[in-house]
């Protein structure tokens, strides 16, 4: 028997209705009584919903906003309004999405609009919580991790489930002063110590998803399209350790070994913790992760099922995995794809650092380390300066820039690879435009160039040949020309020419 599905979209001007678990069809709910209205002119087949807790390799604490998209026949631009989407399936109603409309653009023909909305993780996650951080520690010397988490979420106005996470009782202190830090960055540091993923559910409440390594998997063996699904031919390797890195990305402590170690770096709640505390946290996390392995896969489901949630452990005859990404599309969300990405060595004992969202004293320092490259970034927002250093197997490059100065925008760069070395200095101002000077050296030649885009001067040294080009060539001092093939020479000294 084929189920009958209907999707409903409600629009409201105020966020007081969200999150809500009572918004289902009723004559007295819309359009005026509850401050909202229904959008019924949905273009067939245009519904899309994308949920995820891990984009590539799972990293605890990361939070991603859920995206909803559809096309509607609607004259009004609905940007900035709050939206609630739910579905009726054979008389059973279920929430699909609650969030805020980011854009509502007319198509080229001008007959319908593409509506794009994100859950409140998108807007709330960008809020600067520096003021809250300062206020929170005014009358405290210590607090539990749970007190920090709930106080911060209350300050940004994000509703959350009342739960106790594994390390919520950990006593923490104010280790650093913060001038700018997003809510998402702070929540990541809190939740990675509790090995969970913060995620807004379909009602709009912040939940904390833990991957249950001992759960009985949900059997999907006869519920997916095997021809349109893919599986890797390996199971991810066992997590062998946990590594803690300090504020300078120096290895501070290791539990287990580094073969496939999970990395925790630049977590301000651990800066002053003893090795005993790190041992306790690391051992607990490693114990949880020891059974964390799965077959990376991408399943195209026969029919969309909203009962399948992010973090669920599922089974097929080709392997078991966790739902890390969940995408719905098509008419009445009839199409569904569930995904778990990963590599055979998930972490490989090498941390991939990227903490650009944490800014201390108007400065940002970022280190990225992968198998392919090593990169260091530094930026001082107050001074308008930035520096970057990159190392790969092919090249080494460094760059320093300064913007909004009396001299204009300034930058210098040095690049070195196996074939050449080059250095460049640039200056850009309104008065003179772009000025560049460059030196390039290879085994065959050396060249110097100064240009402003319309005029240039160059000197090129090649084996047995020198090239000089400029609009004006000026020489001062004794000039002597000698032909290397004979003994003759010519000297020019002021008004005297001697041959």
């Amino acid at each position: 028997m084929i189920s009958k599905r209907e999707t409903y979209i409600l629009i409201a001007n105020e966020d007081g209705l969200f999150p809500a678990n009572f918004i289902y069809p009723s004559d007295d709910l819309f359009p005026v009584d509850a401050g909202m209205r229904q959008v019924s002119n949905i273009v067939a087949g245009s519904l899309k919903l994308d949920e995820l807790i891990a984009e590539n390799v799972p990293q605890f604490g990361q939070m991603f906003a859920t995206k909803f998209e559809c096309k509607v026949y609607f004259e009004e631009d609905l940007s900035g309004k709050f939206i609630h989407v739910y579905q009726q399936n054979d008389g059973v109603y279920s929430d699909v999405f609650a969030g805020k409309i980011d854009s509502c653009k007319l198509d080229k023909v001008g007959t319908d609009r593409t509506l794009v909305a994100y859950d409140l993780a998108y807007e709330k996650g960008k809020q600067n919580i520096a003021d809250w951080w300062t206020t929170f520690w005014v009358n405290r010397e210590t607090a539990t991790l749970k007190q920090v988490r709930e106080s911060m979420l209350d300050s940004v106005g994000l509703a959350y489930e009342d739960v106790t996470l594994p390390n919520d009782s950990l006593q923490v202190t104010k280790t650093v002063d913060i001038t700018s830090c997003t809510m998402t960055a702070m929540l990541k540091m809190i939740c990675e110590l509790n090995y969970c993923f913060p995620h807004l559910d379909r009602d709009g409440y912040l939940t904390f998803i833990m991957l249950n390594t001992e759960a009985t998997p949900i059997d999907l063996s006869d519920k997916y399209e095997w021809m349109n699904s893919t599986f890797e031919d390996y199971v991810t390797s066992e997590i062998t350790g946990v590594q803690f890195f300090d504020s300078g990305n120096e290895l501070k402590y290791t539990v287990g070994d580094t073969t496939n170690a999970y990395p925790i770096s630049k977590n301000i709640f651990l800066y002053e913790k003893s090795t005993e505390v790190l041992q306790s946290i690391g051992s607990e996390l490693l114990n949880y992760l020891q059974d964390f392995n799965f077959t990376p896969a991408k399943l195209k489901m026969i029919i969309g099922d909203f009962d399948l949630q992010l973090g669920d452990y599922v089974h097929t005859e080709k392997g078991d995995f966790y739902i890390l990404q969940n995408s719905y599309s098509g008419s009445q969300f009839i199409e569904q794809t569930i995904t778990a990405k990963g590599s055979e060595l998930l972490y490989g004992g090498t941390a991939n650092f990227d903490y650009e969202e944490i800014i201390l004293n108007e400065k940002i320092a970022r280190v990225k380390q992968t198998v392919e490259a090593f990169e260091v970034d530094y930026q001082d927002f107050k001074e308008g300066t930035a520096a970057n250093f990159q190392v790969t197997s092919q090249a080494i490059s460094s760059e320093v820039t300064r913007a909004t100065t009396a001299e204009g925008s300034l930058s210098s760069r040095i690049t070195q690879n196996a074939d050449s070395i080059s250095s460049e200095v640039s200056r850009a101002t309104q008065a003179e435009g772009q000025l560049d000077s460059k030196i390039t050296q290879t085994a065959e030649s050396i060249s110097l160039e100064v240009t402003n885009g319309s005029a240039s001067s160059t000197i090129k040294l090649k084996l047995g040949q020198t090239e000089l080009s400029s609009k004006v060539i000026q020489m001062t001092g004794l000039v002597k020309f000698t032909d290397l093939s004979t003994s003759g020479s010519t000297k020019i000294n002021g008004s005297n020419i001697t041959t």
Side-chain angles (χ1 to χ4, degrees):
M1 178 177 166
I2 299 176
S3 63
K4 181 181 178 181
R5 299 186 178 202
E6 290 184 82
T7 301
Y8 300 85
I9 297 177
L10 296 180
I11 305 296
N13 293 321
E14 303 294 334
D15 63 348
L17 296 171
F18 302 94
N21 55 11
F22 61 89
I23 306 179
Y24 295 120
S26 173
D27 292 339
D28 60 358
L29 273 183
F30 49 82
V32 178
D33 293 9
M36 53 189 164
R37 50 189 164 152
Q38 184 178 14
V39 175
S40 56
N41 297 324
I42 305 171
V43 177
S46 68
L47 295 170
K48 294 180 181 179
L49 183 72
D50 293 308
E51 307 171 312
L52 70 159
I53 56 174
E55 200 165 26
N56 292 301
V57 175
Q59 293 284 344
F60 293 117
Q62 286 186 323
M63 182 170 70
F64 298 92
T66 296
K67 179 182 179 181
F68 169 76
E69 182 177 339
C70 71
K71 287 189 176 183
V72 294
Y73 296 108
F74 211 80
E75 293 183 2
E76 180 186 347
D77 184 354
L78 299 172
S79 300
K81 299 186 184 300
F82 291 86
I83 180 173
H84 191 99
V85 184
Y86 60 93
Q87 187 174 86
Q88 177 271 132
N89 189 354
D90 280 345
V92 178
Y93 291 95
S94 58
D95 292 298
V96 174
F97 175 81
K100 193 172 183 180
I101 300 173
D102 185 63
S103 62
C104 189
K105 298 179 180 179
L106 278 170
D107 64 11
K108 293 181 179 179
V109 182
T111 56
D112 53 63
R113 293 179 178 272
T114 299
L115 184 154
V116 178
Y118 298 92
D119 66 23
L120 296 185
Y122 180 73
E123 182 178 88
K124 302 288 188 180
K126 295 185 291 185
Q127 288 191 27
N128 183 5
I129 50 82
D131 289 343
W132 159 81
W133 177 259
T134 301
T135 303
F136 179 80
W137 294 107
V138 168
N139 297 315
R140 291 184 177 92
E141 291 186 0
T142 184
T144 65
L145 211 55
K146 182 174 184 178
Q147 288 175 321
V148 175
R149 181 182 79 242
E150 293 185 345
S151 175
M152 180 188 66
L153 294 175
D154 289 338
S155 74
V156 299
L158 197 59
Y160 54 89
E161 63 175 346
D162 183 12
V163 294
T164 298
L165 301 175
N167 281 313
D168 265 353
S169 61
L170 179 68
Q171 293 289 325
V172 296
T173 59
K174 181 183 179 183
T175 56
V176 294
D177 291 316
I178 294 176
T179 58
S180 180
C181 178
T182 64
M183 187 276 287
T184 300
M186 182 64 70
L187 190 59
K188 181 185 187 303
M189 292 185 288
I190 295 171
C191 288
E192 73 175 347
L193 298 182
N194 286 301
Y195 35 95
C196 66
F197 300 92
H199 178 73
L200 267 70
D201 66 13
R202 294 166 184 165
D203 254 345
Y205 284 90
L206 181 64
T207 60
F208 304 93
I209 297 175
M210 298 192 69
L211 303 179
N212 189 346
T213 57
E214 298 179 356
T216 301
I218 301 169
D219 191 2
L220 301 181
S221 297
D222 59 351
K223 296 181 180 180
Y224 72 94
E225 301 175 7
W226 64 271
M227 292 187 65
N228 296 313
S229 301
T230 57
F231 298 85
E232 296 293 349
D233 57 2
Y234 58 81
V235 176
T236 59
S237 298
E238 176 186 354
I239 308 300
T240 60
V242 177
Q243 291 182 300
F244 296 94
F245 297 82
D246 61 19
S247 58
N249 284 330
E250 295 291 333
L251 181 61
K252 185 175 181 180
Y253 194 77
T254 298
V255 177
D257 69 70
T258 61
T259 305
N260 190 26
Y262 184 87
I264 296 180
S265 176
K266 286 189 174 182
N267 192 309
I268 61 177
F269 298 109
L270 299 180
Y271 280 1
E272 298 178 0
K273 294 301 181 185
S274 64
T275 56
E276 288 79 12
V277 173
L278 298 182
Q279 169 70 33
S280 175
I281 295 174
S283 297
E284 188 179 85
L285 178 54
L286 181 58
N287 182 62
Y288 170 76
L289 288 174
Q290 279 179 339
D291 296 322
F292 177 59
N293 47 44
F294 59 91
T295 301
K298 184 175 184 178
L299 262 64
K300 177 69 165 41
M301 303 298 291
I302 295 174
I303 187 169
D305 184 356
F306 278 113
D307 287 336
L308 293 173
Q309 303 279 340
L310 290 172
D312 283 349
Y313 191 40
V314 298
H315 166 78
T316 72
E317 69 281 6
K318 293 190 176 183
D320 301 339
F321 65 94
Y322 300 90
I323 299 178
L324 304 180
Q325 299 181 28
N326 208 357
S327 298
Y328 300 86
S329 61
S331 178
Q332 307 302 330
F333 299 109
I334 201 74
E335 298 179 14
Q336 180 184 10
T337 301
I338 58 179
T339 307
K341 293 183 180 180
S343 55
E344 192 163 1
L345 279 179
L346 283 174
Y347 308 104
T350 302
N352 180 13
F353 303 130
D354 190 353
Y355 288 81
E356 56 199 76
E357 292 183 281
I358 301 177
I359 306 165
L360 304 180
N361 301 322
E362 299 181 348
K363 298 178 178 67
I364 173 175
R366 174 175 59 212
V367 177
K368 296 180 182 178
Q369 178 180 327
T370 66
V371 174
E372 293 81 13
F374 178 81
E375 181 177 355
V376 178
D377 279 313
Y378 175 80
Q379 191 168 1
D380 189 324
F381 292 94
K382 187 174 182 180
E383 298 297 329
T385 57
N388 176 265
F389 176 74
Q390 297 183 39
V391 179
T392 69
S393 59
Q394 288 80 33
I396 300 173
S397 66
S398 60
E399 183 176 12
V400 179
T401 62
R402 185 170 70 202
T404 317
T405 67
E407 298 89 358
S409 176
L410 305 175
S411 68
S412 62
R413 174 182 295 180
I414 300 175
T415 303
Q416 177 182 352
N417 55 43
D419 301 317
S420 65
I421 300 174
S422 66
S423 62
E424 183 176 2
V425 179
S426 300
R427 183 176 74 197
T429 66
Q430 279 189 319
E432 61 190 7
Q434 177 85 19
L435 294 177
D436 292 286
S437 65
K438 188 174 183 180
I439 302 174
T440 303
Q441 178 181 353
T442 67
E444 296 84 10
S445 66
I446 300 175
S447 67
L448 297 83
E449 180 181 14
V450 179
T451 180
N452 65 356
S454 58
S456 65
S457 297
T458 61
I459 299 176
K460 294 183 179 180
L461 301 179
K462 300 180 180 179
L463 187 62
Q465 180 180 341
T466 301
E467 299 175 6
L468 176 64
S469 173
S470 182
K471 184 178 180 180
V472 177
I473 298 176
Q474 181 176 331
M475 297 182 182
T476 301
L478 177 64
V479 180
K480 183 178 180 180
F481 299 90
T482 301
D483 186 349
L484 297 179
S485 63
T486 68
S487 58
S489 66
T490 299
K491 295 181 181 179
I492 303 175
N493 185 11
S495 59
N496 300 314
I497 300 179
T498 304
T499 63

